[in-house]
Amino acid sequence: MLTFTNPEHDQASLNRRESLLHHLQYPLAAPDSELRDDRNRYEFDQQRMDYLSGGIILGTDTVMQGRLQLTRAFQENRARNSGHSGVILSGDSTLGKTTTAKRLMRWVLQEYEKQVPGWRALQHVPVMYVEVPPNSSGKALLKEMCAFFGLSVLTRDSMADLRAKVVAAIRRARTQLIVVDELHNLSAGKAVGLGETVDVLKGLHNDVAATFLYCGIDVTNSSLMSGPRGQQLKSRFTVLELTRYNWGNPEHQKAWKSLVRSFEKELQLRDHPAGTLKGEEQYLWQRTGGSIGSLGRLLTGAAIDVIQNGVEPEVLDRPRLDAYRLDRTAEEHYQRVRTRLSGRGTTAMEKVMSL
């Protein structure tokens, strides 16, 4: 049976003001344990699957590092009127950049509410999120920002007109954090569009008092960081590199085991207490290539399969995890692991370490 999108979750879009604030203020909660009886089984299962699909929030080391770097950026920017500091989240896909950004946005909003409890009545928008369109131009990015605030865009509007609208909206909303995601789309665009868009962002750094958080794939090695414009970014932004967990690194291995256990605590399966997968951490690393995004998809996806198909007992084991297909990058990594483990001449651990 297909499970379609819940219409009650239409407020999940990040790139519009109302839906972003709703998503950050009202995260999906774990299901009510009172619904566990057979009379409410269907509703309970639906809530469990919704929570597994988008409600799990883990306090990872990356999130903690992001908080630290943003705290420092906010401190540095508090009295500046130009050259604002910021943070860049850079790394491969499936490493949790956007997920980390969402958690940081929620944290900033919570901190803002402590200091300005009446921000809703004042119509403040403490956090903002936009995605860089593919092959972006400066005008296209400004239109995305206008769309976030619900501003009208006229066909005759010049880039200067759009910039004036965006700056006024950000100032009026007292926006503190601006997240610009999919930053790698700039590098994929034309050289003219790249320079134009970077200039727009640079101008906004001087026009508004907000702190910027950039997210993108391999940003530090992209053309975005080259030339005079790139040098300015590198001199003002702290880079937080998201990397895959390396099983051969004792610290990474310890953190990976802790991450697996943290996910287990949130799986909502009747017969799967935390610690059930103890001893399977290396297998999970092999399956996912050390990617937190792939690990989350494997565990939550397999758990949803168990719930939706009425599997008994409700527990994840290796056969059920093996049956769940992941993204191509993770599957290719696992195939390489299996190929090397089937070879001869070295121990199984040495083969894994050589990957």
Side-chain angles (χ1 to χ4, degrees):
M1 179 180 70
L2 290 177
T3 302
F4 296 106
T5 302
N6 190 333
E8 296 179 1
H9 299 159
D10 287 344
Q11 296 283 357
S13 175
L14 301 180
N15 58 359
R16 296 296 182 270
R17 174 187 56 192
E18 294 82 0
S19 54
L20 173 66
L21 294 178
H22 184 276
H23 170 76
L24 297 179
Q25 293 177 85
Y26 307 106
L28 287 171
D32 188 345
S33 59
E34 294 182 0
L35 298 177
R36 287 180 181 271
D37 60 82
D38 291 337
R39 292 173 301 172
N40 300 302
R41 177 66 180 268
Y42 176 79
E43 182 179 353
F44 179 61
D45 286 350
Q46 295 303 307
Q47 289 188 14
R48 286 198 291 169
M49 288 189 289
D50 286 345
Y51 180 71
L52 289 167
S53 175
I56 295 178
I57 300 175
L58 301 181
T60 64
D61 290 340
T62 302
V63 173
M64 299 308 295
Q65 281 294 318
R67 286 189 180 189
L68 174 61
Q69 299 305 330
L70 275 181
T71 297
R72 290 172 175 170
F74 275 110
Q75 290 170 344
E76 294 173 6
N77 293 337
R78 57 182 298 167
R80 287 183 179 176
N81 56 12
S82 65
H84 289 76
S85 299
V87 179
I88 296 176
L89 297 180
S90 176
D92 290 339
S93 59
T94 76
L95 295 187
K97 295 180 296 298
T98 301
T99 301
T100 298
K102 287 191 288 186
R103 291 166 188 170
L104 292 174
M105 284 191 289
R106 179 170 290 128
W107 168 67
V108 169
L109 182 59
Q110 291 169 345
E111 292 296 310
Y112 190 78
E113 184 159 19
K114 293 176 184 177
Q115 300 182 40
V116 190
W119 64 271
R120 297 175 186 81
L122 296 170
Q123 297 186 331
H124 290 183
V125 185
V127 295
M128 174 182 179
Y129 176 94
V130 293
E131 292 182 352
V132 177
N135 300 316
S136 179
S137 64
K139 196 169 185 178
L141 180 59
L142 287 169
K143 285 182 178 179
E144 286 295 312
M145 293 181 170
C146 286
F148 174 85
F149 284 108
L151 304 175
S152 60
V153 176
L154 306 177
T155 54
R156 66 174 181 271
D157 280 342
S158 66
M159 192 156 66
D161 295 329
L162 295 175
R163 177 171 166 173
K165 290 181 180 182
V166 169
V167 170
I170 292 173
R171 289 175 175 173
R172 187 168 54 248
R174 300 292 192 272
T175 302
Q176 304 297 311
L177 177 68
I178 299 176
V179 177
V180 182
D181 203 354
E182 306 295 331
L183 198 66
H184 51 271
N185 282 339
L186 290 180
S187 301
K190 298 179 180 179
V192 174
L194 168 61
E196 183 182 84
T197 309
V198 172
D199 285 343
V200 166
L201 291 172
K202 177 188 171 185
L204 289 176
H205 294 169
N206 298 330
D207 289 338
V208 299
T211 296
F212 282 73
L213 173 66
Y214 291 155
C215 309
I217 296 174
D218 199 21
V219 174
T220 52
N221 294 318
S222 69
S223 57
L224 183 65
M225 288 296 188
S226 62
R229 295 184 178 95
Q231 185 59 45
Q232 283 191 326
L233 281 178
K234 287 191 287 187
S235 64
R236 295 176 182 175
F237 278 69
T238 300
V239 177
L240 185 57
E241 290 279 2
L242 280 67
T243 60
R244 297 177 183 274
Y245 288 82
N246 180 358
W247 189 258
N249 183 314
E251 291 185 2
H252 282 207
Q253 189 176 136
K254 180 180 179 181
W256 181 261
K257 291 179 179 180
S258 176
L259 186 62
V260 171
R261 188 174 180 86
S262 296
F263 268 117
E264 283 189 282
K265 292 178 181 178
E266 304 294 333
L267 290 180
Q268 309 298 312
L269 298 178
R270 291 185 177 86
D271 308 304
H272 190 116
T276 301
L277 292 174
K278 184 176 182 179
E280 297 287 3
E281 296 93 347
Q282 184 177 353
Y283 158 76
L284 292 170
W285 177 85
Q286 294 169 349
R287 280 296 315 274
T288 62
S291 163
I292 185 174
S294 297
L295 176 66
R297 184 182 174 193
L298 175 61
L299 296 179
T300 60
I304 290 174
D305 272 0
V306 166
I307 296 169
Q308 185 168 355
N309 296 323
V311 175
E312 297 290 348
E314 287 189 352
V315 63
L316 298 186
D317 52 23
R318 188 175 293 203
R320 288 173 184 167
L321 292 169
D322 260 338
Y324 196 88
R325 297 283 292 179
L326 286 174
D327 56 274
R328 185 165 182 81
T329 299
E331 292 295 340
E332 287 178 346
H333 177 270
Y334 187 43
Q335 183 58 48
R336 291 195 299 270
V337 169
R338 295 173 64 182
T339 299
R340 296 200 180 194
L341 289 178
S342 64
R344 297 179 180 180
T346 56
T347 67
M349 181 58 70
E350 287 172 339
K351 294 164 188 169
V352 173
M353 294 303 109
S354 66
L355 292 174

